[in-house]
Amino acid sequence: MTEPAVATSSPRGIRQRNELAALRALYQFGPLSRAELARRLGLNRSSSGHIIAGLTLDGLVREVSEGDQARGGHAHAGRPGIMIELVPGAVYFLGIEIGVEHISAVEIDLGGNIVSTTVEPFDGASAGVTATVERAIEMVLGAIPSSRLERCEGIGIAVPAQMDKYGFVRLAPLLRWENVQLAELVRDALPVSVPVVAENDGNAFAIGASYGRNDKHSGVTLFLVMESGVGGGIIANGSLFRGANGLAGEIGHLRISSASEPSRSLEEVLGLEHIMTEYRKVPTVAAPTFGHFLADVRDRVPGAVSIAEEWARALAFGLIQACRVIDADRIILGGSVAALYPLMAARVAHHIQLAQEASFPLPSIGVNEEETVGPAFGAACILHQRFLSLESQRFAEEVG
C-alpha cells in the first residue's frame, strides 16, 4: 500500500521514506508521470526529481515513453509523455514451499511478476529437516541463472507448521519436525547472504493471494490451503491477522465427533491422504490418483460421491465454526484439494444452511484460480514487501 512521505529529523530518514513511498507507488499503480508521482508523494517537482534521480542511479526505476509502455492502457494523442516505472529485473525474490509430498519454488521480480516456477515431488515426512532444507535450496538455486541470483534480495520459506514470527518451528507434525530454527537453518545453508524469513503455509498463501492488488478487500477473508493437511490464514482489511502465537485461522485442528465414529481433526477428513485412502477402497482403476477421484465425482460414481459428500459436510462444519469467531465475509480455498470444491459447492452450501441459524449470512466461497499463487508465491511476497519497507537490506548496507 502506498503511504505518503513522512518527514523525520534525519535528512537520511526523509530520503529513505520518500524513496520507499515512490517505489510503493510505482509498484501499486504502475508507470506514473513525474507530476503524478510528485502528487502521490506529497512533494514538489524538484524534491520528487531528486528522489527519482537517486532511484534511477540505483537501477530501480527508469524513464519510459508513454507510447512504449508494455502494461497496456491508452496513450494520449499527440507527443508521448515520459513516464517513470520500476525496473522489474533490478532485484528478485524467491519463495519456497516445503510440503509433505512436494517442494515448490517461485521467483518474482521487483514488479511482483512471476519469473519462474519449479515443483518436484518430495517425501518431506521421511527426509528429515536438514536433508529437506538442503534439497530445497539445491533445487531453487539450480533453477536460477547466476546473474539473477546475484540480484536476489531475499528468500522466504513456507511450511505446514506451528511457528512464531521469527521462523522458529515449534511443531510441524506432518513433516515430523519439532523445535527447529528454520530461518536460521536455511540462512546457514545458503551460499549467498540474503534475508531469510520462514512462515506458516496458510499465512503465506493468504499474503500472496491478497498482495499487490489494487482492489483491496476491505472485509475479513479466511484463506485455506488444503493439501495433506489444512492450513489457514486470515486477512483483515488488507493485513494479516496472526493471532497471539501465529496460529489464527488454523481450523484444520478443529475436532469432529459423532456417535458412530471416534473424534478426528478436521484436516484428517479434508486432507488428501484421507480422501485417497478412502478412494482406494472404491474399485475403479488399478492405480488411482486424485485426478481419477475428481473425474469419478464428476461422473457421479457412488463410492467417490460418498467420499466427496463426507468432505463437503466436514468443510461446512469447519467454515461455520471459523465464521462464528472471525465473522469472515469471504473464503478462498487453495491447494490441490480445492479442485474438489466446484464439484461440491452446492452440497457445502446446503450443509452450511442446515447447520447454522438463518440470521447469519453465508460468506462467499471461491477457489484460488491461479495455481502459481500459493504458499511459495506468498513467501516471496513477504520479502518483496520487506524490500519496500524500512527493513530493506539496502538501508542496512547504507548504514554499514
Side-chain angles (χ1 to χ4, degrees):
M1 178 180 294
T2 301
E3 300 173 1
V6 179
T8 70
S9 57
S10 164
R12 184 177 62 198
I14 294 172
R15 175 177 59 79
Q16 289 175 348
R17 284 166 171 76
N18 286 339
E19 286 183 352
L20 290 171
L23 291 174
R24 287 194 293 264
L26 293 170
Y27 169 66
Q28 183 174 1
F29 300 105
L32 298 171
S33 69
R34 287 178 175 270
E36 177 64 13
L37 183 56
R39 186 185 69 79
R40 291 189 179 277
L41 296 179
L43 299 173
N44 59 42
R45 290 284 295 273
S46 175
S47 297
S48 176
H50 287 300
I51 298 302
I52 294 170
L55 292 174
T56 301
L57 186 62
D58 289 341
L60 297 174
V61 306
R62 64 190 175 196
E63 290 186 341
V64 60
S65 170
E66 188 177 13
D68 293 335
Q69 291 175 37
R71 299 190 184 189
H74 301 284
H76 298 293
R79 183 177 179 181
I82 299 299
M83 311 290 282
I84 306 299
E85 70 172 8
L86 296 176
V87 178
V91 293
Y92 295 92
F93 310 88
L94 300 176
I96 302 171
E97 177 195 5
I98 296 174
V100 179
E101 299 177 340
H102 70 277
I103 297 175
S104 61
V106 174
E107 179 187 11
I108 66 174
D109 60 23
L110 182 56
N113 310 299
I114 294 177
V115 178
S116 66
T117 61
T118 309
V119 182
E120 72 170 36
F122 187 79
D123 186 0
S126 63
V129 61
T130 301
T132 299
V133 167
E134 289 176 351
R135 179 61 197 135
I137 293 173
E138 179 184 355
M139 183 189 85
V140 172
L141 299 188
I144 299 171
S146 58
S147 59
R148 292 212 298 266
L149 183 59
E150 292 171 357
R151 286 172 280 168
C152 177
E153 286 290 333
I155 296 178
I157 313 289
V159 292
Q162 297 178 22
M163 58 197 305
D164 65 20
K165 62 183 179 181
Y166 302 108
F168 174 71
V169 174
R170 294 186 291 271
L171 183 65
L174 296 177
L175 293 173
R176 301 173 187 169
W177 297 357
E178 188 173 355
N179 297 327
V180 176
Q181 293 282 4
L182 183 58
E184 183 177 318
L185 185 63
V186 172
R187 194 177 298 114
D188 291 343
L190 285 170
V192 293
S193 178
V194 296
V196 175
V197 298
E199 183 58 270
N200 165 270
D201 61 347
N203 285 343
F205 171 54
I207 290 170
S210 59
Y211 186 64
R213 298 182 182 273
N214 289 329
D215 56 337
K216 291 286 187 182
H217 185 66
S218 60
V220 178
T221 304
L222 173 64
F223 292 86
L224 295 182
V225 181
M226 297 186 290
E227 293 284 355
S228 299
V230 177
I234 300 170
I235 298 292
N237 296 323
S239 299
L240 176 70
F241 176 70
R242 299 184 58 86
N245 299 290
L247 299 176
E250 293 294 335
I251 71 170
H253 297 276
L254 291 172
R255 305 300 297 182
I256 301 176
S257 61
S258 67
S260 60
E261 294 182 346
S263 173
R264 295 177 294 174
S265 70
L266 186 66
E267 70 179 4
E268 286 178 308
V269 181
L270 297 181
L272 183 62
E273 181 177 351
H274 172 75
I275 292 173
M276 293 308 299
T277 296
E278 294 301 308
Y279 182 56
R280 291 186 187 100
K281 301 175 184 177
V282 179
T284 54
V285 295
T289 65
F290 187 61
H292 291 133
F293 171 70
L294 293 177
D296 279 354
V297 173
R298 190 177 299 110
D299 294 339
R300 312 307 295 168
V301 175
V305 170
S306 177
I307 298 168
E309 177 67 13
E310 178 193 36
W311 181 89
R313 187 183 299 110
L315 179 60
F317 168 81
L319 297 184
I320 289 171
Q321 307 312 309
C323 290
R324 292 296 65 79
V325 176
I326 66 173
D327 193 23
D329 60 331
R330 188 173 67 157
I331 295 163
I332 302 296
L333 307 177
S336 60
V337 180
L340 179 57
Y341 176 75
L343 301 176
M344 300 301 295
R347 298 303 298 164
V348 173
H350 170 74
H351 289 302
I352 291 176
Q353 290 172 330
L354 285 180
Q356 74 171 8
E357 297 178 21
S359 60
F360 286 99
L362 288 174
S364 68
I365 305 174
V367 174
N368 175 45
E369 297 180 351
E370 300 177 68
E371 294 184 0
T372 53
V373 181
F377 176 76
C381 288
I382 294 171
L383 274 303
H384 184 280
Q385 187 177 52
R386 177 172 292 191
F387 185 80
L388 301 183
S389 76
L390 286 174
E391 296 181 66
S392 173
Q393 192 177 31
R394 291 175 60 230
F395 300 138
E397 291 172 347
E398 183 178 284
V399 171

